[in-house]
Amino acid sequence: MGRSNGIKILTVLRKEITAGLRHRAALASMLMFALTALACMSLALGGAALEPKILAALLWIVIFFASTVGLDRSFEDEAAAGTLATLKVYADAQSILFGKMIYSLLSLTALTIFLLPMFIILFDCPIAAPLSMLLTVALGLVGLSGAGTLIAAIAATASVKSGLFSILLFPIVLPIFLPAIALTSAAMLGGEISLTMPIAMLLYDAILIVASSILFDYIWN
């Protein structure tokens, strides 16, 4: 990827950040969903102690569904406004994909920065291995943003959009979430963590990004 493509990616990213700061709809929707989900689960449990595996599963469930509230708007707003054709004129497919993918990752990072401390406080969740926890979250968010950007592009061109994004996204990110839940549980307990699962997550993230890059050319053109 040459310097000119890097500049185009940064241009698309700057455009996404500017639009996101101006409207704030996607990020606000994710944050409100996460806050509502956490409050409902906390009230329903009534302070009952849960096993780390269940806590880890709840955390990633909230992250997944909160992300579906915001990531699906990556292309939908532009498709509704009729500006996708204009975007094609100023940037090539790969620059658009990676610019939006980086913005999706930044949005998910902001969501997690808001969500994770609240989750730890509300559920009295111990984190015995914080570095392992951060690595697991980072690998999970990279895969989620990579898959989410591609699925958002597919859903934006579909005639029936209701629920399509979540239906298509879940089976793709499931191979990321299963080791992520196991690693998150291990980080809470502070037990020995095998390198097999982080490496598997990293490889799957790379496969998702490469596959998204290849498929996006066919979707966009």
Side-chain angles (χ1 to χ4, degrees), residues 119-205:
F119 185 88
I120 293 172
I121 294 171
L122 289 176
F123 294 95
D124 193 19
C125 178
I127 305 296
L131 292 179
S132 176
M133 182 75 168
L134 292 176
L135 176 62
T136 302
V137 170
L139 290 173
L141 295 186
V142 168
L144 186 55
S145 61
T149 305
L150 178 66
I151 299 303
I154 296 174
T157 59
S159 57
V160 179
K161 297 181 175 62
S162 179
L164 181 63
F165 182 80
S166 301
I167 293 171
L168 294 178
L169 183 62
F170 180 72
I172 295 176
V173 299
L174 187 60
I176 296 177
F177 280 177
L178 292 179
I181 291 171
L183 287 171
T184 302
S185 175
M188 292 177 182
L189 292 171
E192 185 178 351
I193 298 175
S194 172
L195 292 177
T196 303
M197 286 189 285
I199 292 174
M201 288 182 68
L202 181 61
L203 290 176
Y204 192 72
D205 286 350

Side-chain angles (χ1 to χ4, degrees), residues 20-218:
L21 292 175
R22 183 179 300 136
H23 300 293
R24 304 185 188 92
L27 184 58
S29 299
M30 289 193 294
L31 294 178
M32 286 304 299
F33 179 91
L35 179 61
T36 303
L38 288 179
C40 289
M41 289 190 297
S42 178
L43 291 173
L45 292 172
L50 297 177
E51 295 182 4
K53 286 186 178 180
I54 298 177
L55 288 173
L58 288 176
L59 174 62
W60 284 102
I61 287 171
V62 174
I63 290 176
F64 172 77
F65 283 106
S67 68
T68 61
V69 175
L71 291 186
D72 62 339
R73 302 175 66 93
S74 182
F75 289 89
E76 186 177 343
D77 290 343
E78 289 174 333
T83 58
L84 283 179
T86 305
L87 190 59
K88 291 181 181 181
V89 175
Y90 289 98
D92 59 279
Q94 295 301 307
S95 299
I96 294 168
L97 172 67
F98 284 102
K100 286 182 173 290
M101 192 180 294
I102 294 171
Y103 177 74
S104 296
L105 179 58
L106 293 176
S107 299
L108 290 177
T109 302
L111 168 68
T112 308
I113 291 173
F114 168 81
L115 172 64
L116 193 55
M118 292 192 62
F119 185 88
I120 293 172
I121 294 171
L122 289 176
F123 294 95
D124 193 19
C125 178
I127 305 296
L131 292 179
S132 176
M133 182 75 168
L134 292 176
L135 176 62
T136 302
V137 170
L139 290 173
L141 295 186
V142 168
L144 186 55
S145 61
T149 305
L150 178 66
I151 299 303
I154 296 174
T157 59
S159 57
V160 179
K161 297 181 175 62
S162 179
L164 181 63
F165 182 80
S166 301
I167 293 171
L168 294 178
L169 183 62
F170 180 72
I172 295 176
V173 299
L174 187 60
I176 296 177
F177 280 177
L178 292 179
I181 291 171
L183 287 171
T184 302
S185 175
M188 292 177 182
L189 292 171
E192 185 178 351
I193 298 175
S194 172
L195 292 177
T196 303
M197 286 189 285
I199 292 174
M201 288 182 68
L202 181 61
L203 290 176
Y204 192 72
D205 286 350
I207 292 171
L208 277 178
I209 293 173
V210 172
S212 297
S213 176
I214 295 172
L215 293 174
F216 191 75
D217 284 327
Y218 294 97

